Amino acid sequence: RRQRQMCIRDRLNIFTNQFNTPNAQIQIIPTDPNTPPSQPGDNEPSLDVEWAHSVAPNTPVRLYVATIPNSTTAAFDTLSLAVSQNVCGVISSSIDDQHPCPDLAQIQAYAQADTQAVIQGQTLFHSSGDYGSFYPCGQPASAPGQSGVQPSIEESSASSDVTVVGGTQFNPVYDTNGNTSVLTPGFEHVWQDHTPVPTPTPSAPEKGTSGGGIS
């Protein structure tokens, strides 16, 4: 387990050497101190750590990893621990509790944690997600579970205490000197990799588009 945990550190060292940035100060913090964290199954955590280090290369990075066995609230576990420890000026997250979808009580717990972080002076960033305006969990219900295809956004995106960050793209227009034109409203649009079904009959939620929609 220790060797697998070191993979993130190794990748970060490769990244800092490639782009000649200062050596990273990274601490991996498990939500359960008795359960060592394993290497994540995808590359996104490493990518997040690499670019957090790039933005603030002399700032220590603390990577909170959910390690509580069989937890259905992994994202909330890491958020609440980062807030309760109150050692990070900025908290950035790109995961959510989607399996199963959270109920109203869990969403309220998220809101309380978000508010507490802001009161403490922490800044919260959260990914807009990959499901466009149709987040799989739909509108919050009294019990966990997906609730259809009505327009909705991920729960943390609805909080006024959180800054939501989503991927965008644009087709640059160059002048005769090779400079791109100034961005104007409508020039930039959401990242989208799949073709949406025409309204008013939307398809089931499908990954492939920057998140956004009715809060």
PDB file of all heavy atoms in Angstrom, residues 35-50:
ATOM      1  N   THR A  35      -6.542   3.431   8.162  1.00  0.00           N
ATOM      2  CA  THR A  35      -6.612   2.810   6.835  1.00  0.00           C
ATOM      3  C   THR A  35      -5.742   3.593   5.867  1.00  0.00           C
ATOM      4  O   THR A  35      -6.105   4.703   5.473  1.00  0.00           O
ATOM      5  CB  THR A  35      -8.062   2.770   6.311  1.00  0.00           C
ATOM      6  OG1 THR A  35      -8.894   2.122   7.277  1.00  0.00           O
ATOM      7  CG2 THR A  35      -8.133   2.022   4.993  1.00  0.00           C
ATOM      8  N   PRO A  36      -4.587   3.065   5.477  1.00  0.00           N
ATOM      9  CA  PRO A  36      -3.710   3.798   4.557  1.00  0.00           C
ATOM     10  C   PRO A  36      -4.388   4.012   3.209  1.00  0.00           C
ATOM     11  O   PRO A  36      -5.107   3.135   2.725  1.00  0.00           O
ATOM     12  CB  PRO A  36      -2.492   2.870   4.414  1.00  0.00           C
ATOM     13  CG  PRO A  36      -2.568   1.940   5.578  1.00  0.00           C
ATOM     14  CD  PRO A  36      -4.019   1.773   5.876  1.00  0.00           C
ATOM     15  N   PRO A  37      -4.190   5.168   2.594  1.00  0.00           N
ATOM     16  CA  PRO A  37      -4.791   5.409   1.276  1.00  0.00           C
ATOM     17  C   PRO A  37      -4.098   4.621   0.195  1.00  0.00           C
ATOM     18  O   PRO A  37      -2.896   4.384   0.241  1.00  0.00           O
ATOM     19  CB  PRO A  37      -4.584   6.913   1.064  1.00  0.00           C
ATOM     20  CG  PRO A  37      -3.384   7.243   1.898  1.00  0.00           C
ATOM     21  CD  PRO A  37      -3.431   6.322   3.087  1.00  0.00           C
ATOM     22  N   SER A  38      -4.862   4.177  -0.787  1.00  0.00           N
ATOM     23  CA  SER A  38      -4.306   3.492  -1.942  1.00  0.00           C
ATOM     24  C   SER A  38      -4.271   4.462  -3.112  1.00  0.00           C
ATOM     25  O   SER A  38      -4.877   5.536  -3.079  1.00  0.00           O
ATOM     26  CB  SER A  38      -5.143   2.260  -2.298  1.00  0.00           C
ATOM     27  OG  SER A  38      -6.466   2.630  -2.604  1.00  0.00           O
ATOM     28  N   GLN A  39      -3.562   4.084  -4.148  1.00  0.00           N
ATOM     29  CA  GLN A  39      -3.473   4.918  -5.340  1.00  0.00           C
ATOM     30  C   GLN A  39      -4.828   5.002  -6.018  1.00  0.00           C
ATOM     31  O   GLN A  39      -5.465   3.968  -6.253  1.00  0.00           O
ATOM     32  CB  GLN A  39      -2.440   4.341  -6.320  1.00  0.00           C
ATOM     33  CG  GLN A  39      -2.326   5.088  -7.634  1.00  0.00           C
ATOM     34  CD  GLN A  39      -1.698   6.460  -7.479  1.00  0.00           C
ATOM     35  OE1 GLN A  39      -1.136   6.760  -6.441  1.00  0.00           O
ATOM     36  NE2 GLN A  39      -1.777   7.284  -8.495  1.00  0.00           N
ATOM     37  N   PRO A  40      -5.336   6.213  -6.347  1.00  0.00           N
ATOM     38  CA  PRO A  40      -6.626   6.321  -7.028  1.00  0.00           C
ATOM     39  C   PRO A  40      -6.633   5.569  -8.347  1.00  0.00           C
ATOM     40  O   PRO A  40      -5.597   5.385  -8.989  1.00  0.00           O
ATOM     41  CB  PRO A  40      -6.776   7.834  -7.244  1.00  0.00           C
ATOM     42  CG  PRO A  40      -5.887   8.455  -6.215  1.00  0.00           C
ATOM     43  CD  PRO A  40      -4.737   7.511  -6.047  1.00  0.00           C
ATOM     44  N   GLY A  41      -7.843   5.154  -8.746  1.00  0.00           N
ATOM     45  CA  GLY A  41      -7.977   4.364  -9.957  1.00  0.00           C
ATOM     46  C   GLY A  41      -7.874   5.171 -11.240  1.00  0.00           C
ATOM     47  O   GLY A  41      -7.811   4.609 -12.325  1.00  0.00           O
ATOM     48  N   ASP A  42      -7.892   6.509 -11.164  1.00  0.00           N
ATOM     49  CA  ASP A  42      -7.759   7.327 -12.361  1.00  0.00           C
ATOM     50  C   ASP A  42      -6.703   8.389 -12.122  1.00  0.00           C
ATOM     51  O   ASP A  42      -6.121   8.502 -11.043  1.00  0.00           O
ATOM     52  CB  ASP A  42      -9.098   7.960 -12.740  1.00  0.00           C
ATOM     53  CG  ASP A  42      -9.662   8.840 -11.641  1.00  0.00           C
ATOM     54  OD1 ASP A  42      -8.962   9.771 -11.197  1.00  0.00           O
ATOM     55  OD2 ASP A  42     -10.806   8.601 -11.210  1.00  0.00           O
ATOM     56  N   ASN A  43      -6.437   9.201 -13.153  1.00  0.00           N
ATOM     57  CA  ASN A  43      -5.356  10.175 -13.084  1.00  0.00           C
ATOM     58  C   ASN A  43      -5.795  11.547 -12.575  1.00  0.00           C
ATOM     59  O   ASN A  43      -4.958  12.429 -12.405  1.00  0.00           O
ATOM     60  CB  ASN A  43      -4.732  10.342 -14.473  1.00  0.00           C
ATOM     61  CG  ASN A  43      -4.058   9.073 -14.951  1.00  0.00           C
ATOM     62  OD1 ASN A  43      -3.486   8.336 -14.158  1.00  0.00           O
ATOM     63  ND2 ASN A  43      -4.121   8.812 -16.247  1.00  0.00           N
ATOM     64  N   GLU A  44      -7.096  11.734 -12.351  1.00  0.00           N
ATOM     65  CA  GLU A  44      -7.575  13.071 -12.009  1.00  0.00           C
ATOM     66  C   GLU A  44      -6.999  13.626 -10.706  1.00  0.00           C
ATOM     67  O   GLU A  44      -6.627  14.796 -10.655  1.00  0.00           O
ATOM     68  CB  GLU A  44      -9.104  13.092 -11.969  1.00  0.00           C
ATOM     69  CG  GLU A  44      -9.668  14.494 -11.839  1.00  0.00           C
ATOM     70  CD  GLU A  44     -11.142  14.558 -12.206  1.00  0.00           C
ATOM     71  OE1 GLU A  44     -11.588  13.737 -13.009  1.00  0.00           O
ATOM     72  OE2 GLU A  44     -11.822  15.437 -11.662  1.00  0.00           O
ATOM     73  N   PRO A  45      -6.905  12.825  -9.620  1.00  0.00           N
ATOM     74  CA  PRO A  45      -6.303  13.392  -8.398  1.00  0.00           C
ATOM     75  C   PRO A  45      -4.881  13.885  -8.624  1.00  0.00           C
ATOM     76  O   PRO A  45      -4.500  14.960  -8.128  1.00  0.00           O
ATOM     77  CB  PRO A  45      -6.353  12.214  -7.419  1.00  0.00           C
ATOM     78  CG  PRO A  45      -7.498  11.387  -7.886  1.00  0.00           C
ATOM     79  CD  PRO A  45      -7.452  11.471  -9.383  1.00  0.00           C
ATOM     80  N   SER A  46      -4.081  13.101  -9.369  1.00  0.00           N
ATOM     81  CA  SER A  46      -2.711  13.539  -9.656  1.00  0.00           C
ATOM     82  C   SER A  46      -2.711  14.830 -10.463  1.00  0.00           C
ATOM     83  O   SER A  46      -1.913  15.740 -10.217  1.00  0.00           O
ATOM     84  CB  SER A  46      -1.962  12.439 -10.421  1.00  0.00           C
ATOM     85  OG  SER A  46      -1.830  11.282  -9.639  1.00  0.00           O
ATOM     86  N   LEU A  47      -3.596  14.916 -11.438  1.00  0.00           N
ATOM     87  CA  LEU A  47      -3.694  16.119 -12.264  1.00  0.00           C
ATOM     88  C   LEU A  47      -4.069  17.333 -11.414  1.00  0.00           C
ATOM     89  O   LEU A  47      -3.492  18.418 -11.560  1.00  0.00           O
ATOM     90  CB  LEU A  47      -4.729  15.900 -13.363  1.00  0.00           C
ATOM     91  CG  LEU A  47      -4.891  17.016 -14.397  1.00  0.00           C
ATOM     92  CD1 LEU A  47      -3.646  17.143 -15.257  1.00  0.00           C
ATOM     93  CD2 LEU A  47      -6.107  16.749 -15.276  1.00  0.00           C
ATOM     94  N   ASP A  48      -5.019  17.153 -10.501  1.00  0.00           N
ATOM     95  CA  ASP A  48      -5.425  18.261  -9.632  1.00  0.00           C
ATOM     96  C   ASP A  48      -4.264  18.733  -8.769  1.00  0.00           C
ATOM     97  O   ASP A  48      -4.043  19.942  -8.590  1.00  0.00           O
ATOM     98  CB  ASP A  48      -6.585  17.825  -8.735  1.00  0.00           C
ATOM     99  CG  ASP A  48      -7.873  17.612  -9.505  1.00  0.00           C
ATOM    100  OD1 ASP A  48      -7.950  18.071 -10.659  1.00  0.00           O
ATOM    101  OD2 ASP A  48      -8.792  16.984  -8.951  1.00  0.00           O
ATOM    102  N   VAL A  49      -3.524  17.786  -8.206  1.00  0.00           N
ATOM    103  CA  VAL A  49      -2.395  18.139  -7.349  1.00  0.00           C
ATOM    104  C   VAL A  49      -1.315  18.863  -8.150  1.00  0.00           C
ATOM    105  O   VAL A  49      -0.743  19.870  -7.701  1.00  0.00           O
ATOM    106  CB  VAL A  49      -1.821  16.878  -6.679  1.00  0.00           C
ATOM    107  CG1 VAL A  49      -0.484  17.179  -6.001  1.00  0.00           C
ATOM    108  CG2 VAL A  49      -2.801  16.336  -5.647  1.00  0.00           C
ATOM    109  N   GLU A  50      -1.033  18.379  -9.349  1.00  0.00           N
ATOM    110  CA  GLU A  50       0.010  18.990 -10.180  1.00  0.00           C
ATOM    111  C   GLU A  50      -0.301  20.448 -10.483  1.00  0.00           C
ATOM    112  O   GLU A  50       0.571  21.327 -10.382  1.00  0.00           O
ATOM    113  CB  GLU A  50       0.154  18.196 -11.478  1.00  0.00           C
ATOM    114  CG  GLU A  50       0.783  16.820 -11.284  1.00  0.00           C
ATOM    115  CD  GLU A  50       0.569  15.912 -12.480  1.00  0.00           C
ATOM    116  OE1 GLU A  50      -0.099  16.322 -13.446  1.00  0.00           O
ATOM    117  OE2 GLU A  50       1.085  14.778 -12.429  1.00  0.00           O
TER     118      GLU A  50
END
